[in-house]
Amino acid sequence: MKPFKNTVLSSIPKAEYLLIQPNLEPFRFDQHCVLHEPMQELEFAYFPNSGLISLLVATEDGRTVEAGMVGKNGVIGVPLAVGLKISPLRYVVQIAGDGFRFKMERFPNRLKLTPHFQMALSRFAVVLGMEVAQTAACNRLHELGQRLARWLLMASNRVDSSSLPLTHDFLAATLGTDRPSVSLAAKVLEKNKIIRYKRGEIKILSVRRLESFSCECYREIQQFNSMLGQK
């Protein structure tokens, strides 16, 4: 039995898994850990079994906004799959979890021997690109309350839990706004009994009502991921 829940790794044939298995190092994703800084050379590809990693755009004045998120549905460091060694994004662990990492220097050689693995990575890269584009539109065109609802739904899908260990400060950095604005948006959801917030944790009380509060971007991103047989 394969020792992972990561859907990219789970999708490949056993023969290819046996070829890459010696290169998969168990790894613990600690909350708020920075896995990669913008424009630095990528050292590892990461395959989460659990947890949640944000792909952040950082500006010169220190502000950030999320461009995408990855859980057990994908891989961090996907540029390596197409021969690129750098990424303009900051990879930050939002929710702790575990998984595997694959050292970059071993990656190209293994891809040559594992065509199904390479195809799975390439397909995920394309779908992630669609998600990043939709998220960019959402961040520019939709209200914070809608964006927060969309983000909570996506995060819940990726960790398979309605309870999310998150602070308003970290959500503000992710959504590219300030803490008071996030707190106000969260209070609207609480008042409507859609979520419950206590220090350091947000619990989704009604997925259906949260979906109705979200913008259409959540449904669009769901459709993208359905191409991979994922949520």
Side-chain angles (χ1 to χ4, degrees), residues 31-198:
Q31 191 173 33
H32 301 169
C33 173
V34 178
L35 301 176
H36 177 264
E37 287 287 1
M39 304 314 295
Q40 289 184 354
E41 188 167 307
L42 292 160
E43 294 185 67
F44 299 95
Y46 297 91
F47 297 85
N49 279 332
S50 60
L52 186 70
I53 295 92
S54 281
L55 314 182
L56 301 175
V57 176
T59 60
E60 290 183 354
D61 61 6
R63 291 183 295 175
T64 58
V65 65
E66 187 179 81
M69 65 170 73
V70 177
K72 64 182 178 64
N73 65 309
V75 56
I76 298 295
V78 75
L80 293 172
V82 291
L84 300 178
K85 296 183 178 180
I86 61 172
S87 170
L89 302 172
R90 177 178 294 152
Y91 304 152
V92 180
V93 179
Q94 289 269 30
I95 298 175
D98 66 88
F100 298 91
R101 67 181 185 180
F102 198 130
K103 198 166 183 60
M104 187 279 287
E105 61 192 31
R106 304 170 188 162
F107 213 69
N109 288 336
R110 283 290 167 253
L111 286 181
K112 293 177 183 177
L113 300 173
T114 52
H116 290 90
F117 182 42
Q118 186 172 30
M119 178 60 74
L121 291 170
S122 298
R123 283 169 59 84
F124 177 74
V126 171
V127 170
L128 182 62
M130 295 177 184
E131 180 180 317
V132 168
Q134 191 72 38
T135 299
C138 187
N139 287 338
R140 175 64 180 86
L141 300 174
H142 294 142
E143 296 178 358
L144 180 58
Q146 294 176 305
R147 291 162 50 204
L148 175 60
R150 184 262 304 165
W151 194 95
L152 293 173
L153 288 163
M154 290 174 59
S156 177
N157 284 345
R158 281 154 180 74
V159 299
D160 287 331
S161 176
S162 61
S163 296
L164 305 172
L166 301 164
T167 65
H168 284 187
D169 285 329
F170 216 62
L171 279 172
T174 299
L175 294 170
T177 186
D178 52 50
R179 188 187 190 284
S181 298
V182 168
S183 296
L184 185 60
K187 283 180 181 177
V188 172
L189 295 178
E190 278 194 287
K191 183 177 180 181
N192 286 279
K193 294 182 170 49
I194 298 172
I195 67 169
R196 182 172 67 242
Y197 178 75
K198 62 180 181 180

